[in-house]
Amino acid sequence: MNVSVDRPCTVRIEPYGKIVQTVEGRTLLEICLEEGIRMDAGCAGRGTCGKCRVVVLEGEVEGGVSAAISPEDRARGTRLACMSRIKGDSLVVEVPASSVKPKEVFSSPATEAASCRPFRPDEFSPHEFWSQGPICTRVTVSMTPPTLDDPVTDYDRLINAIRALPGCPSQFRASIDVLGELGSVLRESNWRADAWISAMDCIPAILNVEGARPGVDNYGVAVDIGTTSLSACLCDLSTLTPKAFARCLNSQAIHGADVITRILFGSTPEGLGELKDLVLEDVNSLVDALCQVAGIEPDLITGMQCAGNTTMTQIALGVDPSHIRKEPYVATANVFPPMRAEGLGLRINPRGVVNFMPCVASYVGGDITAGVLATGIARSDEISLLIDMGTNGEIVLGGSEWLVCCSCSVGPAFEGSGITSGMLAEPGAIDDITVTEKGVEYNTIGGGRPVGICGSGLIRAFSELLENGLIDRTAKLQPEAGHPAVRTNRDTLEFLVASTKDREIVITQPDLDNLLRSKAAVYAATVLLVKKMGIELGDVSRILVAGGFGSHIDFSDAVRIGLLPDLPLGVYSFAGNTSLTGARAGLGFLSAQEEVREISEKMTYIELSGDNAYHEEFVRACFLPHTDLDLFPSAGK
Ligand code: FES
């Protein structure tokens, strides 16, 4: 590289009309991201995903040419933004729409179709109102005004009124900003006020006092913060009735698809700040969507319970995640104190309380403790397995006496990301595929025009391709099978699933290679964890599968491709988004908060990353369904 790094250069970015004064030597990806253009940078600027394409219209760049770009596109000026360094004193580039990740928030009223497991409040009996109520309780109290004969302070007057309510604790605390406005609030409200109380700590905190608003509901939001996507549910805190659901992709993906690339990017104060802002803005977008669907003001939301993996939790709270990926792979903390919404810039009521589920280890976080809470496996005398297939796969084994867990890198494929035509399990996603002699039949969520394929559709497609001989046992497409949907496009083999006026939905050979590695990782970690505990797979009474595939998973397909062990299908059940369900439990019951803390303390983490046995299991599982067909007796049937 012989480019000077400090010569000024003016870059115009079309179609945004942005004019940027910068210097030679910087990459076009850096410039676009700085300008707020949500570039699709799945490999975090390593030049391998081929997604961050730009077209150089005028001027020159150094580098940026890639085999992923066809000769025709290359001649038109197409380059990879992450590999293109600015050269010369002026440059005009165009960012095609296909290189930009749209910010889409999917929201819906709460229905049975929502991908959240039906919530069972009876699992978290609300014992005693004050200590076992929701994350934030709203009470209305009336006080007599002070007189010369009754000069009790405003605060004591309020506390005495609250203490007079049945079963309330004797001690409270209030912050100086609550005290600062208390005198005016009580007088202006004619001594009838609403107090919000959170008993998350030993001494319940008065979060806010305002003039009484009779009949006003108290709302909370549960949020699952995943590496690839976020899900949220709005609940009425007094009944825990869900009012609306919303999902979106994690905007941090512009800085890499997996937790390791996020940690690398977040290892500087600037990078951490940017990742934190991106994910909290996603949470804000979900809150906006939830409020719109439910027709409520965000101000009425007084509590938020989040569940995320360890990296997402630390980043959202602005805690340096860099030590997570350095030996001996230790997180900063497993438990973080509750915060006020205003401290995180979250657009619920600024005085609302925000809490994160406790983590277990660097690669087993609050999404998994929430999942164990939601499924109740830690309360069962039977041995259960919980397999959560997110961007990381986390597996928990055990019951009421012991719990062990491990984690493996799966990639975002099962969440419909990092795959050519992948998408979230939302309307338009293909979730079922049947290969016929002449083509492909498919089903889309919502029944409309196909937009992409979600995780359950990919598992189904993988199984159908294998069943019909269109891929071999190493997942290689077989053009010689002569099926019209198997074709070559720009030197890459692919399977055409659907074609519409404006898009083709395909599964390419690199997608299949990705899926093969993903399924091998899940299988290898599952069987190894069971082996390490000295038990057999047959000793496991039930296997709960969680994740963001869609509203279902066909277990016969998952076994056929060797994603899950070949066991009677009756042991399997789909648990949906257990992280979100667990967060809802935490939102509604402080007894659930206590239980999840016990779960995090009780769970033993087993590190697989440097374990040769894991590597061997993984390699053996990189076949369909497995190298050892004796482990898959149903494969021959
Ligand atoms: S190729 Fe540029 S970000 Fe992946």
Side-chain angles (χ1 to χ4, degrees), residues 80-129:
L80 296 182
C82 65
M83 295 286 124
S84 301
R85 291 191 182 272
I86 294 167
K87 194 176 167 189
D89 54 11
S90 91
L91 193 61
V92 181
V93 296
E94 181 189 57
V95 179
S98 55
S99 299
V100 180
K101 273 185 180 280
K103 177 145 186 168
E104 283 183 300
V105 178
F106 301 93
S107 55
S108 60
T111 64
E112 282 307 308
S115 65
C116 197
R117 171 180 171 264
F119 184 67
R120 292 185 39 210
D122 55 309
E123 293 172 35
F124 310 100
S125 49
H127 309 298
E128 208 239 290
F129 175 74

Coordinates of all heavy atoms in Angstrom, one line a residue, residues 80-129:
L80 N -15.7 -3.6 -3.1 CA -16.1 -3.9 -1.7 C -15.7 -2.7 -0.9 O -14.5 -2.3 -0.9 CB -15.4 -5.1 -1.1 CG -15.8 -6.5 -1.8 CD1 -15.0 -7.6 -1.1 CD2 -17.3 -6.7 -1.7
A81 N -16.7 -2.0 -0.2 CA -16.4 -0.8 0.5 C -15.3 -1.0 1.6 O -14.5 -0.1 1.9 CB -17.6 -0.2 1.1
C82 N -15.3 -2.2 2.2 CA -14.4 -2.4 3.4 C -13.0 -2.6 2.9 O -12.0 -2.4 3.7 CB -14.8 -3.6 4.2 SG -14.8 -5.2 3.3
M83 N -12.8 -2.9 1.6 CA -11.4 -3.2 1.1 C -11.0 -2.0 0.2 O -9.9 -2.0 -0.3 CB -11.4 -4.5 0.3 CG -11.7 -5.7 1.1 SD -10.3 -6.1 2.1 CE -11.0 -6.2 3.7
S84 N -11.8 -1.0 0.0 CA -11.5 0.1 -0.9 C -11.0 1.3 -0.1 O -11.7 1.9 0.7 CB -12.7 0.6 -1.6 OG -13.2 -0.5 -2.4
R85 N -9.7 1.7 -0.3 CA -9.1 2.8 0.4 C -9.1 4.1 -0.5 O -8.9 4.0 -1.7 CB -7.7 2.5 0.8 CG -7.7 1.5 1.9 CD -6.3 1.4 2.6 NE -6.5 0.3 3.6 CZ -6.9 0.5 4.9 NH1 -7.2 1.7 5.3 NH2 -7.0 -0.5 5.7
I86 N -9.5 5.2 0.1 CA -9.7 6.4 -0.7 C -8.3 6.9 -1.2 O -7.3 6.8 -0.6 CB -10.3 7.5 0.2 CG1 -11.7 7.0 0.6 CG2 -10.3 8.8 -0.4 CD1 -12.3 7.8 1.7
K87 N -8.4 7.3 -2.5 CA -7.2 7.8 -3.2 C -7.5 9.0 -4.0 O -8.6 9.1 -4.6 CB -6.7 6.6 -4.1 CG -5.3 6.7 -4.7 CD -5.0 5.5 -5.5 CE -3.8 5.7 -6.3 NZ -3.6 4.6 -7.2
G88 N -6.6 9.9 -4.1 CA -6.8 11.1 -4.8 C -7.6 12.2 -4.0 O -7.9 12.0 -2.9
D89 N -7.9 13.3 -4.7 CA -8.5 14.4 -3.9 C -10.0 14.5 -4.0 O -10.7 15.2 -3.3 CB -7.9 15.8 -4.2 CG -7.9 16.1 -5.7 OD1 -8.6 15.3 -6.4 OD2 -7.3 17.0 -6.1
S90 N -10.6 13.7 -4.9 CA -12.1 13.7 -4.9 C -12.6 12.4 -5.4 O -12.0 11.7 -6.3 CB -12.6 14.9 -5.7 OG -12.8 14.6 -7.0
L91 N -13.8 12.0 -4.9 CA -14.3 10.7 -5.2 C -15.8 10.8 -5.2 O -16.4 11.5 -4.3 CB -13.8 9.8 -4.1 CG -14.0 8.3 -4.3 CD1 -13.2 7.8 -5.5 CD2 -13.4 7.6 -3.0
V92 N -16.5 10.1 -6.1 CA -18.0 10.0 -6.0 C -18.3 8.5 -6.0 O -17.9 7.8 -6.9 CB -18.7 10.7 -7.2 CG1 -20.2 10.6 -7.1 CG2 -18.2 12.2 -7.3
V93 N -19.0 8.1 -5.0 CA -19.4 6.7 -4.9 C -20.9 6.6 -4.8 O -21.6 7.5 -4.2 CB -18.7 5.9 -3.8 CG1 -17.2 5.9 -4.0 CG2 -19.1 6.5 -2.4
E94 N -21.4 5.4 -5.2 CA -22.9 5.2 -5.1 C -23.0 4.0 -4.2 O -22.3 3.0 -4.4 CB -23.5 4.9 -6.4 CG -25.0 4.7 -6.3 CD -25.6 4.2 -7.7 OE1 -25.1 3.2 -8.2 OE2 -26.5 4.9 -8.2
V95 N -23.9 4.0 -3.2 CA -24.2 2.9 -2.4 C -25.5 2.3 -2.8 O -26.6 2.9 -2.6 CB -24.3 3.3 -0.9 CG1 -24.6 2.1 0.0 CG2 -23.0 4.0 -0.4
P96 N -25.5 1.1 -3.5 CA -26.8 0.5 -3.9 C -27.6 0.1 -2.7 O -27.1 -0.2 -1.7 CB -26.3 -0.7 -4.7 CG -24.8 -0.7 -4.8 CD -24.3 0.3 -3.7
A97 N -28.9 0.1 -3.0 CA -29.9 -0.2 -1.9 C -29.6 -1.6 -1.3 O -29.8 -1.9 -0.1 CB -31.3 -0.1 -2.4
S98 N -29.1 -2.5 -2.2 CA -28.9 -3.9 -1.8 C -27.7 -4.0 -0.8 O -27.5 -5.0 -0.1 CB -28.6 -4.8 -3.0 OG -27.5 -4.2 -3.7
S99 N -26.9 -2.9 -0.6 CA -25.8 -3.0 0.3 C -26.1 -2.4 1.7 O -25.3 -2.3 2.5 CB -24.6 -2.2 -0.3 OG -24.1 -2.7 -1.5
V100 N -27.4 -1.9 1.8 CA -27.8 -1.3 3.0 C -28.8 -2.1 3.7 O -29.7 -2.7 3.1 CB -28.4 0.1 2.7 CG1 -28.9 0.8 3.9 CG2 -27.4 1.0 1.9
K101 N -28.6 -2.3 5.0 CA -29.6 -3.1 5.8 C -30.7 -2.2 6.2 O -30.6 -1.2 6.8 CB -28.9 -3.5 7.1 CG -28.2 -4.8 7.0 CD -27.7 -5.2 8.4 CE -26.9 -6.5 8.3 NZ -27.7 -7.6 8.3
P102 N -31.9 -2.5 5.7 CA -33.1 -1.7 6.1 C -33.4 -1.9 7.6 O -33.2 -3.0 8.1 CB -34.2 -2.2 5.3 CG -33.8 -3.6 4.9 CD -32.3 -3.7 5.0
K103 N -33.8 -0.8 8.3 CA -34.3 -1.0 9.7 C -35.7 -1.3 9.6 O -36.6 -0.5 9.3 CB -34.0 0.3 10.4 CG -34.5 0.1 11.9 CD -33.6 0.8 12.8 CE -34.1 0.5 14.2 NZ -33.2 1.0 15.2
E104 N -36.1 -2.5 9.9 CA -37.5 -2.9 9.9 C -37.9 -3.4 11.3 O -37.1 -4.2 11.9 CB -37.7 -4.1 8.9 CG -37.7 -3.7 7.5 CD -38.0 -4.9 6.5 OE1 -37.2 -5.8 6.6 OE2 -39.0 -4.8 5.8
V105 N -39.0 -2.9 11.7 CA -39.5 -3.4 13.0 C -40.8 -4.1 12.7 O -41.7 -3.5 12.1 CB -39.7 -2.3 14.0 CG1 -40.3 -2.8 15.3 CG2 -38.4 -1.6 14.3
F106 N -41.0 -5.4 13.0 CA -42.2 -6.1 12.8 C -43.0 -6.1 14.2 O -42.4 -6.5 15.2 CB -41.9 -7.5 12.5 CG -41.1 -7.7 11.2 CD1 -39.7 -7.8 11.2 CD2 -41.7 -7.7 10.0 CE1 -39.0 -7.9 10.1 CE2 -41.0 -7.8 8.8 CZ -39.6 -7.9 8.8
S107 N -44.2 -5.7 14.1 CA -45.0 -5.7 15.4 C -46.3 -6.3 15.1 O -46.8 -6.3 14.0 CB -45.1 -4.2 15.9 OG -45.7 -3.4 14.9
S108 N -46.9 -6.8 16.2 CA -48.2 -7.4 16.1 C -48.9 -7.3 17.5 O -48.3 -7.3 18.5 CB -48.1 -8.8 15.7 OG -47.4 -9.6 16.6
P109 N -50.3 -7.3 17.4 CA -50.9 -7.4 18.7 C -50.7 -8.8 19.3 O -50.3 -9.7 18.6 CB -52.4 -7.3 18.3 CG -52.5 -6.9 16.9 CD -51.2 -7.2 16.3
A110 N -50.8 -8.9 20.6 CA -50.5 -10.2 21.2 C -51.6 -11.2 20.7 O -52.8 -11.0 20.9 CB -50.6 -10.1 22.7
T111 N -51.1 -12.3 20.1 CA -52.0 -13.4 19.7 C -51.4 -14.7 20.0 O -50.2 -14.8 20.3 CB -52.3 -13.3 18.2 OG1 -51.0 -13.6 17.5 CG2 -52.9 -12.0 17.7
E112 N -52.1 -15.8 19.9 CA -51.6 -17.1 20.1 C -50.5 -17.4 19.1 O -49.7 -18.3 19.3 CB -52.7 -18.1 20.0 CG -53.6 -18.2 21.2 CD -52.8 -18.4 22.5 OE1 -52.0 -19.3 22.5 OE2 -53.0 -17.6 23.4
A113 N -50.5 -16.7 17.9 CA -49.6 -17.0 16.9 C -48.2 -16.5 17.2 O -47.2 -16.8 16.6 CB -50.0 -16.5 15.6
A114 N -48.1 -15.6 18.2 CA -46.8 -15.0 18.5 C -45.8 -16.1 18.9 O -46.2 -17.1 19.5 CB -47.0 -14.0 19.7
S115 N -44.6 -15.8 18.6 CA -43.6 -16.9 18.8 C -43.1 -17.1 20.3 O -42.1 -17.7 20.6 CB -42.4 -16.7 17.9 OG -41.7 -15.5 18.4
C116 N -43.9 -16.5 21.2 CA -43.6 -16.6 22.6 C -44.4 -17.7 23.2 O -45.6 -17.8 23.0 CB -43.9 -15.3 23.2 SG -43.2 -15.0 24.8
R117 N -43.8 -18.6 23.9 CA -44.5 -19.7 24.6 C -45.6 -19.2 25.5 O -45.3 -18.2 26.2 CB -43.5 -20.6 25.4 CG -44.1 -21.6 26.3 CD -42.9 -22.3 26.9 NE -43.4 -23.2 28.0 CZ -43.4 -22.9 29.3 NH1 -43.1 -21.7 29.6 NH2 -43.9 -23.7 30.1
P118 N -46.8 -19.8 25.5 CA -47.8 -19.2 26.4 C -47.3 -19.1 27.8 O -46.6 -20.1 28.3 CB -48.9 -20.3 26.2 CG -48.7 -21.0 24.9 CD -47.2 -20.9 24.7
F119 N -47.5 -18.0 28.4 CA -46.9 -17.8 29.7 C -47.8 -18.4 30.8 O -49.1 -18.4 30.7 CB -46.9 -16.3 29.9 CG -46.3 -15.9 31.2 CD1 -44.9 -16.1 31.4 CD2 -47.0 -15.3 32.2 CE1 -44.3 -15.8 32.6 CE2 -46.4 -14.9 33.4 CZ -45.1 -15.2 33.6
R120 N -47.2 -19.0 31.7 CA -48.0 -19.7 32.8 C -47.7 -19.0 34.1 O -46.8 -19.4 34.8 CB -47.7 -21.2 32.8 CG -48.2 -21.9 31.6 CD -48.0 -23.4 31.6 NE -48.3 -23.9 33.0 CZ -47.6 -25.0 33.5 NH1 -46.7 -25.6 32.8 NH2 -47.9 -25.4 34.7
P121 N -48.5 -18.0 34.5 CA -48.2 -17.3 35.7 C -48.2 -18.2 37.0 O -47.6 -18.0 38.0 CB -49.3 -16.3 35.8 CG -49.9 -16.1 34.5 CD -49.6 -17.5 33.8
D122 N -49.0 -19.4 36.9 CA -49.0 -20.3 38.0 C -47.7 -20.8 38.4 O -47.5 -21.3 39.5 CB -50.1 -21.4 37.8 CG -49.7 -22.2 36.5 OD1 -49.5 -21.5 35.5 OD2 -49.7 -23.4 36.6
E123 N -46.7 -20.8 37.4 CA -45.4 -21.3 37.7 C -44.7 -20.4 38.7 O -43.7 -20.8 39.3 CB -44.6 -21.4 36.4 CG -45.1 -22.5 35.5 CD -44.4 -22.4 34.2 OE1 -43.2 -22.1 34.1 OE2 -45.0 -22.6 33.1
F124 N -45.1 -19.2 38.8 CA -44.4 -18.2 39.7 C -45.5 -17.6 40.6 O -45.9 -16.4 40.4 CB -43.7 -17.1 38.8 CG -42.9 -17.7 37.7 CD1 -43.4 -17.7 36.4 CD2 -41.7 -18.2 38.0 CE1 -42.6 -18.3 35.5 CE2 -40.9 -18.7 37.0 CZ -41.4 -18.8 35.7
S125 N -45.9 -18.4 41.5 CA -47.1 -18.0 42.3 C -46.7 -16.7 43.0 O -45.7 -16.5 43.6 CB -47.4 -19.0 43.3 OG -46.3 -19.5 44.0
P126 N -47.7 -15.7 43.0 CA -47.3 -14.4 43.4 C -47.4 -14.2 45.0 O -47.6 -13.1 45.4 CB -48.4 -13.5 42.8 CG -49.5 -14.4 42.5 CD -49.0 -15.8 42.3
H127 N -47.2 -15.3 45.7 CA -47.2 -15.3 47.2 C -47.7 -14.0 47.8 O -48.9 -13.8 47.9 CB -45.8 -15.6 47.7 CG -45.1 -16.8 47.1 ND1 -45.7 -18.0 47.2 CD2 -44.1 -16.9 46.3 CE1 -44.9 -18.9 46.6 NE2 -44.0 -18.3 46.0
E128 N -46.8 -13.1 48.1 CA -47.1 -12.0 48.8 C -46.9 -10.7 48.0 O -45.9 -10.5 47.4 CB -46.3 -11.9 50.1 CG -47.0 -11.2 51.2 CD -46.2 -10.1 51.7 OE1 -45.1 -10.2 52.2 OE2 -46.6 -8.9 51.4
F129 N -47.9 -9.9 47.9 CA -47.9 -8.8 47.0 C -46.6 -7.9 47.0 O -46.0 -7.8 45.9 CB -49.1 -7.9 47.4 CG -49.2 -6.6 46.5 CD1 -49.6 -6.7 45.2 CD2 -48.9 -5.4 47.1 CE1 -49.7 -5.5 44.5 CE2 -48.9 -4.2 46.3 CZ -49.4 -4.3 45.0

